[in-house]
Each structure stands twice: as C-alpha cells, then as structure tokens.
Amino acid sequence: MGTHFILVAIAIMALASTLASASDPSQLQDFCVAVNDSKSAVFVNGKFCNDPKLATANDFFYSGLLTPRNTSNPVGSTVTRVNVMQIPGLNTLGISLARIDFAPYGLNTPHIHPRGTEIFVALEGTLYVGFVTSNPDNRLFTMVLYPGDVFVFPQGLIHFEFNQEETNAVALSGFSSQDPGVITIAKAVFGSNPKISDDVLAKAFQVDKKVVDHLQAQFWWPSN
C-alpha cells in the first residue's frame, strides 16, 4: 500500500492547491484584533516568516503518515494532521493534509472547517460520508465511498465520515488552507468552556433542560 498511499497524497495536495484564490488571505485563526502599537502585537494572521536563508529541508518534511493510528476512543476514529504546525514550510502556501483512521463502525463526528475546503479520498474500507448545506435549505448530500473514491466537503459546511464495515478504514484529506481549523459540532455546543446556558440550548433544541444538562455533563471527544 506504501507507494499507492504516497501517490494519492501527492494527488490530493495538487488538487487542494488549485482551490486557492487570488484575493485577501483567508483567516488562519479565529480572530485577529487590530492594534495601533506594533510593539504590543504578538499574533499575525498565520505564522511569522523565518529568514529564507535559514530554511532547511526539514522545514518542508514530515515522516510517519503511513503508520496506522490508535482508534481506541469513544468515536472510533483518529485524525492525524499535517499542516503548518507540523511542516513550517507550508506557511503562506495555502495547503495541508490529514490522515483519518477509522475503527470498525468508527465515526469522524459532524464538524466544520471554517477556513478550508476539504477533498477526501478513501483508501481502505467502505465509508458513508456527507455534508449539509447552509440555511434555509439544509440539504444533505451523501455518498458511500470505496477505495479510490473522492468526495469534496465545501468550506464551512457541516460534514461527517462513518465506517460502515467491521474492518478498519483509512482516508486522506487535502485542504485549501495551511490551517483549515476544525469545530466539532457536539463538542462546541455541549462542551464549550464556559458552558452555554441550558436555557439557551433547551429553547434552541426544543428539549427539556434536563436533557441539555445530561449532554453537557458528557465528555465530548475532539476526534477531528
């Protein structure tokens, strides 16, 4: 599988790079509050650039993506990110990669990537995937993927991947951002810090506050 895996990874990165647009750079963090005093500025929209003369080959290298990950967790999936945090040379290039391992019947729970479109390639197993469009239609688009199949999750839309089989599954994803970000829906809504008022959530979901309190008491696994 090694050579096939590498070729797929290269193809994904090439496809993801075509999603970049010639406009203002996308947000690479949740917010970037402007300040007038440059001396007090700590963060930028992305990463500070090192002197190009000091760059080495290791700044553009990552090893170990072929290694299967441990999926012994409540949702049965593990995401291995390869973004600017792992490869500093990706800074400003607008692409990144991830490996997703699924246990039998494992789920990459509903989530969004606020800063990037995702192109998803199934490598092993049978995966039921889908995304939901924005209001007011909230249309659900789904597909069952087999090895070699490709599916696209548009930027900012809720999506998921579920392993339908009794065997492990593996996929690779390319992103149109060096750091696409992730918001796991259940964890964000019921596991926020501090907690969202149960009055708010009870009214939003049209359920009793006891149901909300029960959900907020759970541990929400940040699988993606």
Side-chain angles (χ1 to χ4, degrees):
M1 174 185 168
T3 302
H4 175 69
F5 191 98
I6 293 170
L7 290 174
V8 170
I10 293 172
I12 289 175
M13 298 302 287
L15 287 169
S17 67
T18 64
L19 299 172
S21 60
S23 61
D24 289 342
S26 299
Q27 283 289 100
L28 296 172
Q29 55 204 39
D30 288 339
F31 47 80
C32 187
V33 179
V35 292
N36 292 323
D37 181 6
S38 61
K39 293 182 180 179
S40 66
V42 177
F43 294 99
V44 295
N45 186 29
K47 299 287 185 181
F48 290 105
C49 295
N50 194 12
D51 185 339
K53 295 179 181 178
L54 301 178
T56 69
N58 285 331
D59 292 325
F60 304 90
F61 174 77
Y62 176 87
S63 179
L65 203 59
L66 277 177
T67 305
R69 266 49 180 187
N70 183 358
T71 55
S72 299
N73 58 61
V75 296
S77 71
T78 296
V79 178
T80 303
R81 299 175 182 84
V82 185
N83 56 32
V84 70
M85 301 301 292
Q86 288 75 39
I87 304 180
L90 284 177
N91 193 34
T92 75
L93 297 185
I95 56 173
S96 58
L97 186 69
R99 171 185 172 128
I100 308 96
D101 288 87
F102 299 86
Y105 304 111
L107 171 69
N108 194 7
T109 59
H111 61 283
I112 67 172
H113 299 293
R115 299 184 290 274
T117 290
E118 176 179 357
I119 185 163
F120 181 93
V121 181
L123 296 181
E124 296 180 8
T126 303
L127 293 160
Y128 171 66
V129 306
F131 67 85
V132 179
T133 64
S134 56
N135 296 351
D137 294 336
N138 298 130
R139 292 181 62 195
L140 173 64
F141 290 79
T142 64
M143 187 71 67
V144 175
L145 304 184
Y146 301 94
D149 289 344
V150 179
F151 200 74
V152 173
F153 302 116
Q155 179 174 339
L157 297 187
I158 295 174
H159 60 283
F160 60 87
E161 304 103 32
F162 175 64
N163 180 10
Q164 296 190 135
E165 302 293 337
E166 296 180 353
T167 57
N168 294 335
V170 181
L172 279 181
S173 285
F175 299 92
S176 61
S177 171
Q178 68 185 46
D179 185 6
V182 61
I183 300 174
T184 305
I185 305 304
K187 185 177 187 298
V189 173
F190 297 108
S192 65
N193 183 23
K195 294 179 180 179
I196 299 173
S197 165
D198 56 4
D199 289 315
V200 171
L201 295 181
K203 194 171 188 67
F205 288 94
Q206 296 294 290
V207 296
D208 190 273
K209 286 201 292 185
K210 291 182 179 179
V211 175
V212 173
D213 293 340
H214 171 74
L215 291 171
Q216 288 184 321
Q218 307 306 306
F219 173 76
W220 296 99
W221 188 262
S223 62
N224 37 48

